[in-house]
């Protein structure tokens, strides 16, 4: 079975463990069909967060930094994989705090809040408990800046199933 089909069956584009997250891709099917793995997007990303991932396809690795939504990856791609008129907001991903969060184990921590430039992480005060991070899905852009600073690797960037791109409240990225 070829990689395109295998990835689609495994749900890599939409599942929790997806590793293809370039902004503004038209569709997963088109991506796996027409991406030649030329690595132009990898070379173009000024943040150096686009890496070769499973099967040689490019993917964003937030361990190396955040996406600024600059559009360089999409512009560099010689194939027609990306939206060409980007006048809408980022992408349908948001941060999700997993069980490994230190605060869920009664250890005080606010590293993720300090790294979020969008004010999307607030700490919920619960009587007798360590304050816990809450992600505001109206403010979170899915930029991934909070991923690397988390000392317990507790933050995943996941598909926001509850929000259409048109409903996002901030940042219209245009190029
Ligand atoms: S939009 Fe910019 S920062 Fe984000 S992955 Fe593409 S090139 Fe990198
Ligand atoms: S940085 Fe990680 S461990 Fe610390 S509060 Fe945020 S999610 Fe929890
Ligand atoms: S993904 Fe970006 S906007 Fe969302 S909570 Fe993390 S740092 Fe803030």
């Amino acid at each position: 079975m070829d990689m395109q089909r295998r990835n689609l069956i495994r749900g890599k584009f939409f599942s929790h463990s997806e590793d293809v997250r370039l902004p503004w891709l038209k569709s997963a099917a088109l991506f796996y069909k027409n991406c030649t793995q030329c690595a132009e997007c990898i070379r173009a990303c000024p943040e150096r967060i686009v890496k070769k991932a499973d099967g040689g396809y490019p993917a964003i690795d937030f361990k190396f930094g955040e996406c600024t939504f600059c559009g360089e990856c999409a512009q560099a791609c010689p194939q027609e994989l990306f939206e060409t008129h980007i006048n809408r907001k980022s992408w349908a991903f948001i941060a999700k705090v997993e069980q490994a969060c230190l605060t869920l184990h009664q250890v005080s921590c606010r590293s993720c809040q300090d790294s979020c430039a969008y004010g999307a992480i607030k700490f919920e005060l619960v009587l007798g408990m360590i304050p816990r991070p809450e992600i505001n899905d109206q403010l979170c852009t899915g930029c991934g800046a909070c991923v690397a600073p988390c000392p317990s690797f507790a933050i995943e960037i996941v598909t926001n199933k509850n929000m259409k791109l048109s409903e996002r409240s901030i940042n219209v990225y245009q190029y």
Side-chain angles (χ1 to χ4, degrees):
M1 187 183 299
D2 66 21
M3 183 59 65
Q4 172 195 347
R5 186 164 167 70
R6 189 145 47 99
N7 280 337
L8 287 172
I9 288 172
R10 287 165 63 192
K12 290 189 69 62
F13 197 77
F14 296 107
S15 74
H16 179 75
S17 61
E18 63 208 302
D19 59 11
V20 177
R21 295 191 179 113
L22 296 182
W24 307 298
L25 282 174
K26 286 177 180 169
S27 77
L30 197 66
F31 174 75
Y32 286 118
K33 181 163 179 267
N34 292 341
C35 173
T36 61
Q37 304 185 353
C38 69
E40 289 297 336
C41 55
I42 294 175
R43 285 187 279 277
C45 177
E47 305 299 321
R48 299 286 179 257
I49 61 172
V50 185
K51 308 287 183 188
K52 264 202 192 292
D54 201 6
Y57 290 99
I60 291 181
D61 190 335
F62 292 110
K63 285 199 304 292
F64 295 93
E66 68 193 271
C67 179
T68 62
F69 306 108
C70 66
E72 296 291 333
C73 51
Q75 284 183 305
C77 179
Q79 305 299 317
E80 293 183 1
L81 305 181
F82 294 85
E83 305 281 358
T84 50
H85 301 291
I86 305 300
N87 57 4
R88 67 181 193 192
K89 300 152 195 173
S90 65
W91 54 15
F93 289 103
I94 54 169
K96 183 180 176 200
V97 180
E98 304 285 1
Q99 285 300 311
C101 173
L102 294 176
T103 69
L104 298 179
H105 303 276
Q106 297 303 310
V107 177
S108 186
C109 175
R110 292 196 182 224
S111 301
C112 52
Q113 186 178 41
D114 295 341
S115 65
C116 180
Y118 300 94
I121 306 177
K122 297 282 182 244
F123 276 73
E124 185 189 16
L125 294 173
V126 183
L127 200 62
M129 309 277 281
I130 299 283
R132 298 174 174 181
E134 290 284 328
I135 307 291
N136 182 325
D137 68 0
Q138 292 296 310
L139 295 177
C140 177
T141 64
C143 71
C146 54
V147 171
C150 173
S152 59
F153 310 106
I155 299 182
E156 298 268 3
I157 303 298
V158 299
T159 303
N160 184 354
K161 297 189 175 75
N162 300 323
M163 192 186 303
K164 295 175 188 161
L165 286 170
S166 58
E167 291 172 348
R168 287 190 171 277
S169 59
I170 54 170
N171 294 343
V172 176
Y173 300 101
Q174 199 150 18
Y175 63 89

